[in-house]
Amino acid sequence: MSEPATAIEAAVAASPLHQLKDELDIVIPTIRNLDFLEMWRPFLQPYHLIIVQDGDPSKTIKVPNGFDYELYNRNDINRILGPKASCISFKDSACRCFGYMVSKKKYIFTIDDDCFVAKDPSGKAINALEQHIKNLLSPSTPFFFNTLYDPFAEGADFVRGYPFSLREGVSTAVSHGLWLNIPDYDAPTQLVKPLERSTRFVDAVLTIPKGTLFPMCGMNLAFDRQLIGPAMYFGLMGEGQPIGRYDDMWAGWCIKVICDHLGLGVKTGLPYIYHSKASNPFVNLRKEYKGIYWQEDIIPFFQQVVLPKDCTTVQKCYIELAKQVKEKLGKIDPYFDKLADAMVTWIQAWDSLNPTSASFSNGKTG
């Protein structure tokens, strides 16, 4: 690193955002020892970790000393959720959403175990979590695009011609970060560009406009759990399912439609992490091939979804979305009938562990 760890630790401790350590959980899905946390220690050690162990529950996952964490394996998921555990994927990183469900904090930051600390063009280590918090604590502007990107960022503002009636913005529900080094490509793109690396550092945060979908990557993601948590379901993937690597995509399409309906914002751009290794494109192709085919019907479905006005909470929106998934996507493959049922089970499980969250509507208690 360009900076001594002690200097980074001092900067982190001095940050006013450091006070959110009691309001934020970090969720990590894994099948291996979490040695990667050592490089994140200056930034993440003050926070509580929720580790969701995938695969063999008898395997022991080692966590570096000094981190405050709780760890859940498949046996724990089955014990806590009972029959409703069927909605949590197995042998797939989609299991991370169980961590969202058991958290009691306002905010979630989720990161993969192959994501390392990135550096900005000056060589300074990037505190990804700090930038996510900045994104979540400042408003979004989904109804009118600001050509100077995020008007709430330092050194920026609303440009000439931006309506004053829209400058207050809306609450930000999701902060979607990006990656340097290994880009988040699908298998066909991996195969034709095996050596391509993401090297461009773009110093920008944008609000994704209302009515526009996006491919959400779950490896560097933060969100306001109170505003959108019940919709952050990563679907049925992995063992026993005909599809994989679409867990975060599915969640992203769902949350965007619901955020648009409820008047919430989604940001993308900063912060960057360093994605350290590429997954096997041939393995990925086996997981993705049906999704690559199906998404040509899935995307138009989400583009045309209309949620009724009486859907005033995330839960109501999600149940309605599950109903429409069954009605319209069920014609494509029986998998979508199963997925729609799992979406309903997910909400039932969420509400059983979070009985007060059903009262949230646009982040306010009813």
Side-chain angles (χ1 to χ4, degrees):
M1 281 190 180
S2 300
E3 305 164 89
T6 52
I8 299 175
E9 289 166 357
V12 172
S15 169
L17 302 176
H18 191 56
Q19 64 189 8
L20 286 183
K21 68 182 180 66
D22 296 324
E23 300 179 60
L24 183 145
D25 278 334
I26 298 170
V27 174
I28 305 170
T30 194
I31 57 171
R32 59 182 64 88
N33 295 335
L34 296 182
D35 300 329
F36 90 111
L37 284 173
E38 284 295 351
M39 72 170 58
W40 284 101
R41 186 181 293 276
F43 303 131
L44 304 188
Q45 186 171 356
Y47 296 88
H48 179 69
L49 310 181
I50 298 178
I51 301 164
V52 184
Q53 178 181 344
D54 197 18
D56 183 1
S58 67
K59 181 180 177 180
T60 299
I61 300 292
K62 294 181 180 178
V63 182
N65 292 332
F67 284 92
D68 173 40
Y69 71 93
E70 53 192 300
L71 186 149
Y72 298 92
N73 60 33
R74 192 68 201 189
N75 293 338
D76 298 314
I77 294 172
N78 292 338
R79 172 178 52 82
I80 292 168
L81 295 183
K84 294 184 178 66
S86 62
C87 72
I88 304 299
S89 299
F90 183 56
K91 293 189 178 178
D92 192 280
S93 63
C95 67
R96 79 176 77 222
C97 61
F98 177 77
Y100 310 159
M101 182 186 289
V102 296
S103 171
K104 302 303 177 188
K105 304 290 179 62
K106 178 174 172 58
Y107 301 103
I108 294 288
F109 170 46
T110 185
I111 185 172
D112 285 4
D113 58 18
D114 61 351
C115 293
F116 297 168
V117 176
K119 294 180 180 179
D120 68 16
S122 72
K124 180 181 178 183
I126 297 170
N127 184 347
L129 179 53
E130 182 178 53
Q131 180 64 50
H132 275 303
I133 293 172
K134 287 180 179 178
N135 292 348
L136 290 171
L137 294 184
S138 60
S140 291
T141 53
F143 306 123
F144 200 88
F145 188 79
N146 191 53
T147 53
L148 202 53
Y149 309 121
D150 185 356
F152 300 99
E154 184 177 351
D157 210 323
F158 293 99
V159 297
R160 180 172 56 88
Y162 200 100
F164 282 86
S165 59
L166 296 177
R167 294 191 181 194
E168 184 177 348
V170 301
S171 297
T172 301
V174 179
S175 172
H176 177 255
L178 299 175
W179 352 266
L180 295 173
N181 195 40
I182 305 296
D184 187 30
Y185 285 163
D186 53 40
T189 308
Q190 280 184 290
L191 287 167
V192 298
K193 294 184 173 182
L195 301 180
E196 185 157 291
R197 297 296 179 262
S198 176
T199 59
R200 293 175 60 230
F201 182 94
V202 181
D203 187 6
V205 178
L206 293 80
T207 295
I208 301 174
K210 182 178 179 180
T212 300
L213 297 173
F214 75 111
M216 187 175 81
C217 174
M219 75 171 95
N220 174 23
L221 180 73
F223 60 92
D224 186 320
R225 189 175 169 277
Q226 290 183 354
L227 287 181
I228 200 62
M232 271 292 178
Y233 175 47
F234 276 43
L236 286 177
M237 304 283 153
E239 186 171 86
Q241 309 303 334
I243 185 175
R245 285 174 55 84
Y246 272 85
D247 51 334
D248 42 8
M249 299 295 120
W250 182 262
W253 299 327
C254 291
I255 63 96
K256 188 57 169 64
V257 166
I258 292 173
C259 282
D260 286 352
H261 176 76
L262 295 178
L264 301 170
V266 178
K267 294 182 180 180
T268 188
L270 301 178
Y272 283 93
I273 51 85
Y274 183 90
H275 188 205
S276 64
K277 64 180 182 180
S279 48
N280 186 311
F282 296 100
V283 173
N284 290 346
L285 187 59
R286 286 200 301 270
K287 295 178 179 179
E288 291 175 3
Y289 79 95
K290 286 193 175 182
I292 292 171
Y293 176 70
W294 287 342
Q295 72 183 16
E296 300 306 319
D297 291 307
I298 296 172
I299 299 299
F301 163 76
F302 278 103
Q303 288 174 328
Q304 295 163 20
V305 160
V306 175
L307 298 174
K309 290 184 178 179
D310 61 355
C311 288
T312 55
T313 68
V314 175
Q315 280 91 334
K316 288 180 180 179
C317 290
Y318 205 71
I319 294 296
E320 172 63 26
L321 199 51
K323 175 185 172 185
Q324 295 191 34
V325 166
K326 179 168 288 234
E327 289 175 354
K328 298 179 181 177
L329 295 182
K331 301 172 185 176
I332 299 173
D333 191 273
Y335 167 74
F336 291 99
D337 289 324
K338 188 177 180 181
L339 177 56
D341 291 339
M343 292 168 70
V344 174
T345 302
W346 160 264
I347 291 296
Q348 293 170 345
W350 181 283
D351 286 346
S352 69
L353 295 182
N354 302 276
T356 60
S357 69
S359 66
F360 281 101
S361 174
N362 290 351
K364 299 176 183 178
T365 54

